[in-house]
């Protein structure tokens, strides 16, 4: 049996008992603020006809709690003069509704917007949608929907609006395989087994290396998550396999990935565009299912990269210009250096003049 130590409790709370009234008030207010930070920043739902709505502190308004008995419903775009942009907790435990038409103008759909609706068969998604949380349809076995072309599903099951950009360059499978060989040589020196080349992982890594040219970060340009990987960027003239592997070996975090005994297979991507090479190692804890990968180089033309339109991916910084440089239409001026600020890799030299 555990005995309650009243004296100990009183001692621990002594600061509160001895504190001044003003100090107590400040402390209580702080606790209240912390507690409220965990709750959604929206007011209580207001009923309007067959629906209710809530307004967030940033002005967005969500529609929810349909109570009607129609089998086909088209959501309103406004309720009591408030423009609706979010669908949340709309239908729950409903066996009447069969089709829901979400009108243009709606931008977001939240988790469990449609829950436990056995007869719901169709949801019409508008082109204005930018974000859909995972499990927005839950336990509605017959529900079907078609996403707009601008929407891409992320690895966590959610959906997000993307914009497609194109990039040109070259995949170098020979250099990628040389990186594999040097990586395995280093692992053997450390008393570890060699990693097997995985063809599927190689193709994924090539895609990731091209993505690095637009968004150089341990996250995919459209917002998707990544697994175990090492990445690097360098000018094409210095970006050799040995340069890449040595750089990773001399970086504790990257080296740890290379010698992880749990890794069983590997894929390497190597992509060059506009004089810059982007390379990446991707690791997997499973044995390779297919080691027959490509060799040589492959020209990449208009490679489509889906990107999150709300992220600043690339910023060019021109040095060597000053306020006295005035240009008219048709004039040109060459800066000393052009730098790339790409997420995760700032100040990469693109060119010198």
């Amino acid at each position: 049996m555990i005995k309650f130590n009243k004296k100990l409790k009183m001692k621990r709370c002594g600061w509160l008992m001895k504190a001044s009234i003003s100090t107590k008030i400040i402390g209580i207010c702080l606790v209240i603020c912390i507690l409220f930070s965990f709750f959604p920043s929206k007011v209580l739902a207001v009923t309007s006809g067959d629906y209710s709505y809530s307004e967030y502190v940033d002005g967005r308004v969500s529609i929810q709690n349909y109570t009607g008995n129609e089998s086909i419903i088209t959501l309103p775009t406004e309720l009591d003069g408030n423009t609706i942009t979010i669908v949340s907790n709309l239908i729950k435990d409903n066996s009447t509704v069969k089709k829901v038409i979400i009108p243009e103008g709606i931008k977001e759909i939240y988790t469990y917007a449609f829950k436990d609706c056995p007869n719901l068969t169709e949801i019409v998604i508008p082109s204005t949608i930018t974000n859909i949380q995972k499990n927005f349809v839950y336990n509605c076995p017959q529900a079907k929907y078609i996403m707009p072309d601008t929407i891409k599903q992320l690895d966590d099951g959610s959906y997000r609006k993307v914009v497609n950009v194109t990039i040109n360059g070259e995949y170098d499978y020979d250099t990628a395989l040389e990186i594999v060989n040097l990586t395995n040589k280093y692992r053997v020196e450390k008393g570890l087994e060699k990693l097997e080349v995985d063809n599927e992982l190689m193709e994924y890594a090539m895609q990731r290396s091209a993505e690095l040219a637009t968004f150089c970060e341990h996250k995919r340009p459209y917002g998707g998550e990544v697994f175990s990987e090492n990445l690097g960027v360098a000018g094409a003239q210095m970006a050799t396999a040995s340069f890449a592997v040595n750089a990773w070996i001399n970086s504790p975090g990257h080296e740890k990935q290379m010698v992880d005994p749990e890794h069983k297979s590997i894929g390497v991507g190597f992509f060059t565009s506009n004089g810059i090479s982007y390379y990446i190692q991707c690791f997997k804890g499973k044995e390779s299912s297919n080691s027959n990968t490509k060799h040589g180089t492959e020209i990449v033309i208009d490679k489509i990269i889906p990107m999150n339109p709300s992220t600043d991916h690339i910023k060019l910084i021109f040095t060597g210009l000053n306020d006295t440089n005035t240009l008219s239409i048709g004039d040109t001026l060459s800066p000393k250096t052009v730098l790339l600020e790409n997420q995760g890799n700032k100040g990469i030299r693109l060119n010198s003049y």
Side-chain angles (χ1 to χ4, degrees):
M1 178 181 293
I2 299 175
K3 294 183 179 180
F4 180 75
N5 192 331
K6 185 176 181 180
K7 292 183 179 181
L8 180 60
K9 179 182 179 184
M10 294 295 288
K11 184 177 180 180
R12 289 177 177 174
C13 297
W15 69 270
L16 182 59
M17 298 175 66
K18 296 177 181 179
S20 64
I21 294 177
S22 60
T23 302
K24 291 178 181 178
I25 294 175
I26 293 173
I28 293 172
C29 290
L30 180 60
V31 171
I32 293 174
C33 290
I34 292 174
L35 290 175
F36 270 92
S37 68
F38 290 97
F39 292 92
S41 51
K42 65 178 181 179
V43 300
L44 296 176
V46 177
T47 301
S48 178
D50 291 336
Y51 303 93
S52 61
Y53 64 92
S54 296
E55 182 177 357
Y56 289 78
V57 294
D58 59 6
R60 297 175 301 149
V61 178
S62 66
I63 186 172
Q64 56 207 47
N65 301 330
Y66 174 70
T67 58
N69 54 14
E70 299 292 329
S71 62
I72 300 176
I73 61 174
T74 299
L75 302 188
T77 57
E78 290 187 358
L79 287 175
D80 297 340
N82 298 288
T83 301
I84 305 298
T85 59
I86 302 170
V87 177
S88 65
N89 300 319
L90 182 69
I91 303 176
K92 181 181 179 181
D93 295 324
N94 186 302
S95 59
T96 303
V97 176
K98 296 181 178 179
K99 180 178 180 178
V100 177
I101 301 172
I102 303 176
E104 296 293 316
I106 300 294
K107 297 181 179 180
E108 299 180 85
I109 306 176
Y110 285 177
T111 299
Y112 301 148
F114 308 93
K115 183 180 179 182
D116 300 324
C117 307
N119 296 320
L120 178 62
T121 59
E122 183 179 0
I123 303 171
V124 178
I125 308 292
S127 63
T128 52
I129 282 291
T130 60
N131 178 52
I132 300 178
Q133 295 181 355
K134 65 179 180 179
N135 294 328
F136 76 101
V137 176
Y138 186 81
N139 197 26
C140 304
Q142 299 188 70
K144 298 184 183 300
Y145 46 86
I146 299 177
M147 292 293 173
D149 293 337
T150 55
I151 296 294
K152 182 176 180 63
Q153 186 173 21
L154 305 189
D155 299 329
D156 64 359
S158 64
Y159 295 83
R160 186 173 299 168
K161 182 176 181 179
V162 298
V163 293
N164 290 328
V165 300
T166 58
I167 188 169
N168 299 319
E170 182 180 77
Y171 288 149
D172 188 338
Y173 286 89
D174 287 344
T175 300
L177 290 172
E178 188 177 350
I179 289 176
V180 172
N181 292 333
L182 291 174
T183 300
N184 279 332
K185 179 181 178 182
Y186 184 72
R187 284 177 62 90
V188 170
E189 292 173 355
K190 295 293 182 178
L192 298 169
E193 294 182 354
K194 291 183 178 181
L195 299 173
E196 295 182 342
V197 174
D198 186 277
N199 182 56
E200 182 178 343
L201 200 54
M202 284 288 289
E203 291 305 310
Y204 167 82
M206 286 295 175
Q207 169 74 22
R208 284 287 294 125
S209 65
E211 292 175 353
L212 295 180
T214 65
F215 186 66
C216 200
E217 182 60 273
H218 290 294
K219 180 174 285 190
R220 307 197 70 175
Y222 59 82
E225 298 298 325
V226 298
F227 49 91
S228 302
E229 63 177 26
N230 285 334
L231 59 85
V233 184
Q237 293 182 343
M238 62 188 301
T240 62
S242 58
F243 175 87
V245 173
N246 287 334
W248 287 326
I249 289 175
N250 290 309
S251 172
H254 297 93
E255 194 263 355
K256 183 178 180 180
Q257 290 272 30
M258 294 174 63
V259 296
D260 189 334
E262 298 297 321
H263 293 155
K264 303 299 181 184
S265 57
I266 186 174
V268 174
F270 196 98
F271 177 76
T272 300
S273 178
N274 293 324
I276 301 294
S277 292
Y278 306 86
Y279 38 92
I280 187 168
Q281 291 175 314
C282 297
F283 304 96
K284 191 164 63 174
K286 295 181 179 180
E287 302 288 345
S288 172
S289 58
N290 182 2
S291 60
N292 295 321
T293 189
K294 297 179 182 177
H295 292 78
T297 60
E298 181 180 309
I299 300 299
V300 178
I301 300 177
D302 292 338
K303 177 70 174 180
I304 296 177
I305 307 293
M307 302 177 71
N308 181 353
S310 64
T311 301
D312 292 330
H313 296 280
I314 296 177
K315 181 190 295 183
L316 292 178
I317 301 175
F318 298 89
T319 62
L321 304 180
N322 54 55
D323 294 337
T324 63
N325 299 132
T326 303
L327 299 180
S328 300
I329 296 176
D331 292 343
T332 59
L333 179 65
S334 296
K336 292 181 180 179
T337 306
V338 181
L339 299 179
L340 168 67
E341 270 199 8
N342 197 348
Q343 295 285 61
N345 287 271
K346 295 185 177 181
I348 301 169
R349 186 181 300 273
L350 288 183
N351 209 344
S352 296
Y353 295 87

